[in-house]
Amino acid sequence: DAGITQSPRYKITETGRQVTLMCHQTWSHSYMFWYRQDLGHGLRLIYYSAAADITDKGEVPDGYVVSRSKTENFPLTLESATRSQTSVYFCASRDRGDQPQHFGDGTRLSIL
Amino acid sequence: GENVEQHPSTLSVQEGDSAVIKCTYSDSASNYFPWYKQELGKRPQLIIDIRSNVGEKKDQRIAVTLNKTAKHFSLHITETQPEDSAVYFCAALGGYQKVTFGIGTKLQVIP
């Protein structure tokens, strides 16, 4: 779905560094989500947002920070990266109500 | 919160056979159940969904059934083809507008 884009697609960084993953959607969807995907764990919710300036924790929020100053953007920041945060990160968005989520292409993050 | 269990974790079928993936959920308030297909290295993509006021939905070779009483829903793929090989995720939309995913089923269709 071209309406949701993530950047960068690939990132390699070192432990202790700060890294920000970007997510942008053009549908004006109310809800946006960040997931991490690891082998054996499926898709785990990190943070989500119901609207601009409203965010809430998901299942695995520790070590991550989010913000949503504009409806279309939902950046995810790892303030001090750790090796356990090596993963594939997916951003998703959807409209209100029982509507499907649409995923970005993902960011493959490696922390050395 | 919502808990979604998915079985089996891996499934191998011969081309042309049917495949069934089953999920259960815990939150009786859940009212929307999407299924996603994820090919290797790609994003999860919606393949079919069902809402709580419907018991069954079909789209060509794919069908989903929902049993609200038992809190159980299933994905059925008939006449499987090699391009059906992927990881399939069930999900449930529960309270707080959060979608909870199952752990995924890796389907392999053997030519």
Side-chain angles (χ1 to χ4, degrees), chain A residues 1 4 9 31 33 35 37 40-43 45 48 57 90 94 96-101 103-105, chain B residues 31-32 34 36 38 41-46 49 51 87 89 93 96-104:
Chain A
D1 297 62
I4 183 165
R9 290 294 315 279
Y31 289 91
F33 306 85
Y35 295 89
Q37 186 173 35
H41 291 279
L43 290 157
L45 182 64
Y48 69 105
K57 296 178 181 179
F90 285 100
R94 75 175 168 81
R96 294 185 178 277
D98 52 351
Q99 299 298 320
Q101 287 184 186
F103 286 84
D105 283 328
Chain B
N31 61 359
Y32 173 67
Y36 289 83
Q38 187 179 27
K42 302 215 174 158
R43 69 176 84 187
Q45 291 196 296
L46 180 77
D49 56 9
R51 291 170 174 82
V87 178
F89 292 96
L93 175 62
Y96 304 103
Q97 292 291 297
K98 287 189 294 184
V99 171
T100 301
F101 288 85
I103 202 162

Side-chain angles (χ1 to χ4, degrees), chain B residues 11-94:
Chain B
L11 179 60
S12 292
V13 298
Q14 292 290 330
E15 182 177 357
D17 287 350
S18 295
V20 180
I21 302 170
K22 299 181 178 182
C23 291
T24 60
Y25 62 98
S26 61
D27 185 354
S28 57
S30 292
N31 61 359
Y32 173 67
F33 306 90
W35 285 87
Y36 289 83
K37 175 184 180 182
Q38 187 179 27
E39 296 176 352
L40 190 63
K42 302 215 174 158
R43 69 176 84 187
Q45 291 196 296
L46 180 77
I47 54 171
I48 195 167
D49 56 9
I50 190 167
R51 291 170 174 82
S52 59
N53 59 344
V54 175
E56 184 173 0
K57 183 177 179 180
K58 190 173 182 179
D59 182 3
Q60 298 183 334
R61 297 186 295 108
I62 295 173
V64 58
T65 59
L66 172 64
N67 183 329
K68 284 190 65 179
T69 302
K71 296 181 188 171
H72 173 274
F73 58 115
S74 300
L75 177 72
H76 304 252
I77 306 174
T78 58
E79 301 172 16
T80 54
Q81 301 168 3
E83 52 264 38
D84 294 330
S85 296
V87 178
Y88 292 81
F89 292 96
C90 64
L93 175 62

Side-chain angles (χ1 to χ4, degrees), chain A residues 72-108:
Chain A
E72 60 267 29
N73 296 324
F74 191 39
L76 176 74
T77 297
L78 289 66
E79 292 191 306
S80 179
T82 65
R83 289 192 181 134
S84 65
Q85 294 176 308
T86 292
S87 186
V88 179
Y89 291 85
F90 285 100
C91 178
S93 73
R94 75 175 168 81
D95 214 343
R96 294 185 178 277
D98 52 351
Q99 299 298 320
Q101 287 184 186
H102 301 273
F103 286 84
D105 283 328
T107 294
R108 185 173 293 276

Side-chain angles (χ1 to χ4, degrees), chain A residues 6-99:
Chain A
Q6 291 184 235
S7 61
R9 290 294 315 279
Y10 303 92
K11 177 76 176 177
I12 300 174
T13 190
E14 297 176 339
T15 56
R17 296 278 182 109
Q18 182 181 82
V19 59
T20 296
L21 310 184
M22 305 301 292
C23 180
H24 175 80
Q25 53 107 352
T26 60
W27 293 303
S28 298
H29 284 167
S30 298
Y31 289 91
M32 295 189 74
F33 306 85
W34 275 106
Y35 295 89
R36 61 177 290 173
Q37 186 173 35
D38 306 287
L39 198 62
H41 291 279
L43 290 157
R44 292 186 291 175
L45 182 64
I46 304 170
Y47 269 96
Y48 69 105
S49 169
D53 296 322
I54 300 175
T55 63
D56 207 348
K57 296 178 181 179
E59 182 184 353
V60 288
D62 293 344
Y64 303 95
V65 175
V66 294
S67 62
R68 195 160 177 213
S69 58
K70 293 184 178 181
T71 300
E72 60 267 29
N73 296 324
F74 191 39
L76 176 74
T77 297
L78 289 66
E79 292 191 306
S80 179
T82 65
R83 289 192 181 134
S84 65
Q85 294 176 308
T86 292
S87 186
V88 179
Y89 291 85
F90 285 100
C91 178
S93 73
R94 75 175 168 81
D95 214 343
R96 294 185 178 277
D98 52 351
Q99 299 298 320

